[in-house]
């Protein structure tokens, strides 16, 4: 037996601790009202056996106490149920040994669902073999396996092919002929099921004589099974079987050991007739709160004196009656006010004055309640508010990895859709999705912000483009901040390469260094070519390849959000980020718009100092004719 070679509890896996935790969670799924009544005061309890038996399961018992931060001490003979699994297996093994049986006694695989580890542990404590722990430790071929395979030989061959040499194969046989076929097929164990003692003795002797020593110098292992109990196991001890198997759970399913639980509460000091119970406001399962300093804990005191309870009840009744009376009076006065006829001379004026007075009193009452209860309740910490990305977009100096992570800028596309040119931007793979490195995203976003700030500082024109649903508001807002143009609908092909035909009719104006429109240049703007942007910002390059291609043909630099499925060579200044997240697009567009606004402010401050940061358009000479006259002449 295993107990003769060491401590059986060392065989238990670490998973038994999780089993104990699951038992406790099942026992108390929500509130532990009984535990609240018991309280947190230390106490002592003793578990006494009321009859003689055998103990098993101490590791599980101790683990329960450990997880509840309690201490268990074995100060005497602790008793287990007399008809438990270890007691039953020990009794059967003793009967077999007394009858001269020297082979193995094993238990069946049939165990209580969810309690297999405990019952198998009980077999080991009782001195028996646990047999197969589960379906993966040995192959047991029964009637259904044989019927499905067609024969015992085919079933054994299939089991050996799937399990390999390390997994034993056992065949359940209903006759001696089936046992012969199983042994010939190569089965390691044959189980003679539901044989009588005489039939078992004859069959075991015949099999041993016929097969003798099998491969490796060892004969077949014969197992006896089927209805073995304490009452009929004696005759089976005198057979040639090397293994006997019984259902320990069924035999142990009898009235269990009775225990007596006695609790010993700590002594209570009674300095006066009034009993003061001081209870710490902590959960019964919250042991971490018990280790906190005493100065940080909350206490409450409850007075259980009879007179105090009666006075408290009387006060509550008085308050309830006063509230009812107040409500009744206010309702009756309201009805009287509604049914009272108005005086013909002063009725309307008095009613309006009373109404104004009531409104003022209600407002003062509201302000008083607000000032009184303003400090109550919880304070809402910083949280995501979608409108702030439009009303107060972040500036380039506010770019952080936390901001990019919260906006889901790190999420790429499936690995099957990636563009290999983006490998330098990818941090790794998570569940088949490419993860973009936010360090790279932040660096490229700061670079693009510097480019936009420099373009607007030198008076350049920036075009912001975003044609997906929901991108229009952030694109328009970014264009307003940077003083540029915006496009949130479909790009018309040829607007740059053939801009004179498409945009030639658009109005053009001349402004000074403070962006104020100047008159007298209308006649010189008629024959000029259509304006082209100095920089294009595109937040969805996949849908605007034609725009980016035209920019490339005309030497216009571009800034774009490049996801893992896009080609970073399409734009001049790529920003690796998630182009499918509207929040990410709003963050990037807001940062770029703020950068353009900073460039505009720098240009205006320089203009106030008399410095010009941009090169005026050559060939423009202001005429003496007014702007209106020039326009009429041009038309």
């Amino acid at each position: 037996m295993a107990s003769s070679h060491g401590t059986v509890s060392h065989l238990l896996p670490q998973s038994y601790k999780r089993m104990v935790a699951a038992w406790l969670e099942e026992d108390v799924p929500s509130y532990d009202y009984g535990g609240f009544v018991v309280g947190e005061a230390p106490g002592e309890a003793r578990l006494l056996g009321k009859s003689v038996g055998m103990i098993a399961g101490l590791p599980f018992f101790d683990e329960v106490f450990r997880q509840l931060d309690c201490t268990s001490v074995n100060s005497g003979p602790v008793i287990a149920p007399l008809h438990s699994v270890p007691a039953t297996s020990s009794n059967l093994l003793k009967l077999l040994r007394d009858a001269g049986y020297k082979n193995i006694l094993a238990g069946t695989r049939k165990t209580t669902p969810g309690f297999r580890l405990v019952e198998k542990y009980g077999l080991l404590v009782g001195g028996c073999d646990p047999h197969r722990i589960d379906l993966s430790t040995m192959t047991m071929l029964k009637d259904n396996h044989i019927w499905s395979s067609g024969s015992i030989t085919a079933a054994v061959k299939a089991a050996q092919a799937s399990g390999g040499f390390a997994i034993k194969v056992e065949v359940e046989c209903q006759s001696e002929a089936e046992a012969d076929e199983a042994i010939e097929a190569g089965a390691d164990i044959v189980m003679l099921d539901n044989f009588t003692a005489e039939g078992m003795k004859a069959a075991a002797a015949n099999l041993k004589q016929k097969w003798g020593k099998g491969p490796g110098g060892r004969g077949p292992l014969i197992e006896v099974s089927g209805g073995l109990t304490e009452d009929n196991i004696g005759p089976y001890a005198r057979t040639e079987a090397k293994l006997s198997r019984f259902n320990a759970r069924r035999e142990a399913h009898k009235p269990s050991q009775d225990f007596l639980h006695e609790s010993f509460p700590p002594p209570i000091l009674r300095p006066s007739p009034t009993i003061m119970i001081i209870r710490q406001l902590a959960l019964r399962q919250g042991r971490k709160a018990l280790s906190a300093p005493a100065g940080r804990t909350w206490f409450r005191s409850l007075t259980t004196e009879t007179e105090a309870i009666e006075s408290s009840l009387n006060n509550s009744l008085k308050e309830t009656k006063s509230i009812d009376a107040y409500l009744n009076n206010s309702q009756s006065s309201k009805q009287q006010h509604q049914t009272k006829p108005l005086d013909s001379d002063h009725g309307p004026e008095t009613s309006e004055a009373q109404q104004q007075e009531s409104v003022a009193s209600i407002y003062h009452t509201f302000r008083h309640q607000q000032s009184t209860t303003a400090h109550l309740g919880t304070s809402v910490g910083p949280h995501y508010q979608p409108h702030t990305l439009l009303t107060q977009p972040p500036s380039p100096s506010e770019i952080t990895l936390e901001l990019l992570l919260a906006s889901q800028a790190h999420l790429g596309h499936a690995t099957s859709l990636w563009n290999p040119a983006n490998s330098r931007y990818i941090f790794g793979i998570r569940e088949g999705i490419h993860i973009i490195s936010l360090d790279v995203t932040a660096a490229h976003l700061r670079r693009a912000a510097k480019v936009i700030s420099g373009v607007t500082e030198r008076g350049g024109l920036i075009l912001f483009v975003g044609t997906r649903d929901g991108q229009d508001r952030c694109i328009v807002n970014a264009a307003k901040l940077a003083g540029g143009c915006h496009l949130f609908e479909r790009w018309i092909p040829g607007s740059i390469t053939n801009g004179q035909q498409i945009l030639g009719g658009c109005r053009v104006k001349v402004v000074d260094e403070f962006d104020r429109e100047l008159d007298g240049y209308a006649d010189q703007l008629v024959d000029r070519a259509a304006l082209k942007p100095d920089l294009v910002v595109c937040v969805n390059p996949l849908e605007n390849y034609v725009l980016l291609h035209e920019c490339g043909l005309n030497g216009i630099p571009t800034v774009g959000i490049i996801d893992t499925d896009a080609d970073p060579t399409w734009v001049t200044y790529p920003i690796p980020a998630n182009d499918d997240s509207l929040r990410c697009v709003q963050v990037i567009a807001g940062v770029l718009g703020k950068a353009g606004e900073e460039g505009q402010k720098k240009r205006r401050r320089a203009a106030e100092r008399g410095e010009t940061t941009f090169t005026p358009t050559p060939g423009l000479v202001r005429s003496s004719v007014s702007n209106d006259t020039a326009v009429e002449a041009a038309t």
Side-chain angles (χ1 to χ4, degrees):
M1 63 181 67
S3 58
S4 61
H5 297 277
T7 305
V8 181
S9 61
H10 293 168
L11 293 172
L12 290 174
Q14 291 297 317
S15 59
Y16 86 94
K17 298 180 181 180
R18 295 193 296 269
M19 292 174 54
V20 173
W23 297 341
L24 294 175
E25 184 177 356
E26 180 184 7
D27 197 27
V28 187
S30 58
Y31 295 111
D32 187 1
Y33 302 104
F36 178 81
V37 174
V38 173
E40 299 289 342
E44 179 183 348
R46 295 179 183 176
L47 193 64
L48 305 177
K50 301 174 65 176
S51 60
V52 180
M54 176 179 290
I55 182 64
L58 283 179
F60 301 91
F61 185 84
D62 294 337
E63 181 62 21
V64 171
F65 276 79
R66 188 192 67 81
Q67 294 193 17
L68 295 179
D69 280 354
C70 299
T71 304
S72 60
V73 179
N74 299 330
S75 59
V78 186
I79 308 302
L82 183 61
H83 294 286
S84 62
V85 172
T88 303
S89 58
S90 178
N91 292 338
L92 287 174
L93 185 61
K94 185 175 182 302
L95 291 175
L96 289 175
R97 294 291 185 260
D98 293 341
Y101 184 78
K102 299 181 180 180
N103 292 322
I104 302 173
L105 178 63
T108 181
R109 191 186 61 86
K110 300 181 180 69
T111 55
T112 306
F115 218 60
R116 175 179 301 171
L117 187 65
V118 180
E119 293 179 349
K120 290 293 185 180
Y121 179 77
L123 286 173
L124 292 172
V125 174
C128 295
D129 191 278
H131 206 265
R132 55 174 179 159
I133 302 298
D134 49 47
L135 296 177
S136 302
T137 54
M138 185 173 66
T139 305
M140 172 72 75
L141 301 178
K142 293 180 175 290
D143 295 340
N144 55 334
H145 304 93
I146 298 173
W147 294 336
S148 301
S149 302
S151 64
I152 294 178
T153 302
V156 172
K157 297 301 182 184
Q160 291 176 340
S162 60
F165 68 91
I167 304 299
K168 290 185 178 181
V169 179
E170 180 176 356
V171 181
E172 182 182 83
C173 303
Q174 305 295 331
S175 63
E176 186 176 341
E178 292 183 354
D180 286 332
E181 183 181 357
I183 296 174
E184 185 176 1
D188 301 285
I189 307 171
V190 291
M191 182 182 68
L192 304 181
D193 191 28
N194 293 323
F195 276 56
T196 62
E198 293 75 10
M200 177 67 65
K201 183 177 181 180
N206 293 336
L207 292 174
K208 182 178 179 180
Q209 181 180 4
K210 181 176 181 180
W211 295 101
K213 294 183 179 180
R218 187 182 65 175
L221 186 61
I222 302 174
E223 179 181 337
V224 180
S225 179
L228 298 182
T229 63
E230 296 180 0
D231 300 330
N232 63 0
I233 199 171
Y236 289 92
R238 292 180 290 274
T239 63
E240 297 290 338
K242 298 183 179 179
L243 181 65
S244 298
R245 191 173 64 146
F246 72 104
N247 192 335
R249 179 171 61 89
R250 182 182 60 197
E251 292 303 308
H253 201 194
K254 298 178 181 179
S256 300
Q257 173 73 29
D258 191 9
F259 288 90
L260 176 62
H261 176 268
E262 295 183 0
S263 298
F264 301 90
I268 301 177
L269 299 179
R270 301 176 182 271
S272 63
T274 301
I275 304 175
M276 302 296 295
I277 304 175
I278 300 177
R279 186 189 304 275
Q280 186 178 8
L281 291 181
L283 295 176
R284 179 173 179 263
Q285 301 295 339
R287 273 83 63 183
K288 294 182 178 179
L290 299 179
S291 60
R296 297 175 58 185
T297 57
W298 294 354
F299 295 89
R300 71 175 182 183
S301 61
L302 303 176
T303 304
T304 60
E305 190 176 7
T306 306
E307 296 179 358
I309 295 176
E310 292 179 356
S311 61
S312 177
L313 292 176
N314 293 331
N315 293 333
S316 300
L317 291 175
K318 291 179 181 179
E319 292 177 358
T320 305
K321 292 180 180 179
S322 63
I323 293 173
D324 292 340
Y326 173 77
L327 293 176
N328 293 333
N329 293 334
S330 62
Q331 185 175 4
S332 61
S333 63
K334 182 178 180 181
Q335 293 177 355
Q336 292 176 3
H337 177 71
Q338 292 177 352
T339 58
K340 183 178 180 179
L342 298 176
D343 188 80
S344 59
D345 297 333
H346 306 286
E349 297 178 358
T350 306
S351 175
E352 292 178 1
Q354 290 179 354
Q355 185 176 2
Q356 292 178 0
E357 183 180 357
S358 63
V359 171
S361 62
I362 292 174
Y363 176 74
H364 288 304
T365 303
F366 167 73
R367 294 293 298 175
H368 174 70
Q369 293 178 350
Q370 191 177 30
S371 61
T372 305
T373 61
H375 64 282
L376 301 178
T378 59
S379 59
V380 180
H383 59 284
Y384 171 58
Q385 297 178 340
H387 66 277
T388 57
L389 293 177
L390 299 175
T391 58
Q392 298 177 353
S395 62
S397 60
E398 296 174 350
I399 299 175
T400 60
L401 299 185
E402 291 80 3
L403 176 63
L404 297 176
L405 182 65
S407 62
Q408 301 176 351
H410 61 290
L411 297 179
H413 284 275
T415 55
S416 58
L417 302 177
W418 82 307
N419 191 312
N422 293 317
S423 59
R424 59 183 180 274
Y425 306 141
I426 295 176
F427 176 79
I429 300 175
R430 180 68 180 273
E431 296 181 0
I433 303 296
H434 274 129
I435 303 300
I436 302 174
S437 177
L438 295 183
D439 293 331
V440 179
T441 301
H444 283 69
L445 181 56
R446 294 189 184 100
R447 182 184 65 170
K450 289 183 179 180
V451 171
I452 291 178
S453 178
V455 171
T456 55
E457 183 179 359
R458 290 163 177 79
L461 180 63
I462 301 179
L463 173 62
F464 289 85
V465 180
T467 58
R468 290 185 183 177
D469 294 338
Q471 296 179 351
D472 49 355
R473 295 183 62 186
C474 62
I475 290 298
V476 172
N477 186 62
K480 287 182 178 179
L481 292 175
C485 304
H486 61 267
L487 174 68
F488 51 83
E489 294 180 350
R490 187 180 68 89
W491 171 260
I492 300 177
S495 296
I496 294 179
T497 55
N498 194 19
Q500 191 63 29
Q501 297 296 327
I502 298 176
L503 303 176
C506 296
R507 180 175 178 271
V508 182
K509 62 181 180 180
V510 179
V511 297
D512 59 3
E513 62 271 17
F514 296 101
D515 294 337
R516 294 176 299 195
E517 185 175 0
L518 300 177
D519 299 332
Y521 296 95
D523 56 342
Q524 304 178 42
L525 301 177
V526 175
D527 298 330
R528 283 187 172 270
L531 288 179
K532 296 180 181 179
D534 298 292
L535 179 68
V536 174
V537 178
C538 182
V539 297
N540 57 329
L542 289 179
E543 291 84 356
N544 295 283
Y545 172 75
V546 176
L547 163 64
L548 300 176
H549 182 66
E550 291 184 18
C551 291
L553 294 177
N554 289 268
I556 300 175
T558 54
V559 177
I561 300 178
I562 299 299
D563 211 333
T564 57
D565 60 339
D567 190 351
T569 60
W570 288 1
V571 295
T572 311
Y573 302 101
I575 303 175
N578 182 9
D579 62 352
D580 296 316
S581 172
L582 181 59
R583 183 176 177 182
C584 176
V585 172
Q586 290 177 346
V587 168
I588 294 177
V591 170
L592 299 181
K594 275 288 190 179
E597 185 183 33
E598 293 178 0
Q600 295 278 7
K601 291 180 180 179
K602 292 179 181 179
R603 180 174 57 82
R604 294 191 182 97
R605 286 196 296 267
E608 292 175 356
R609 297 191 302 266
E611 301 176 2
T612 303
T613 59
F614 59 93
T615 303
T617 304
L620 288 178
V621 179
R622 189 172 187 178
S623 62
S624 60
V625 185
S626 64
N627 190 23
D628 296 336
T629 306
V631 171
E632 291 177 1
T635 57

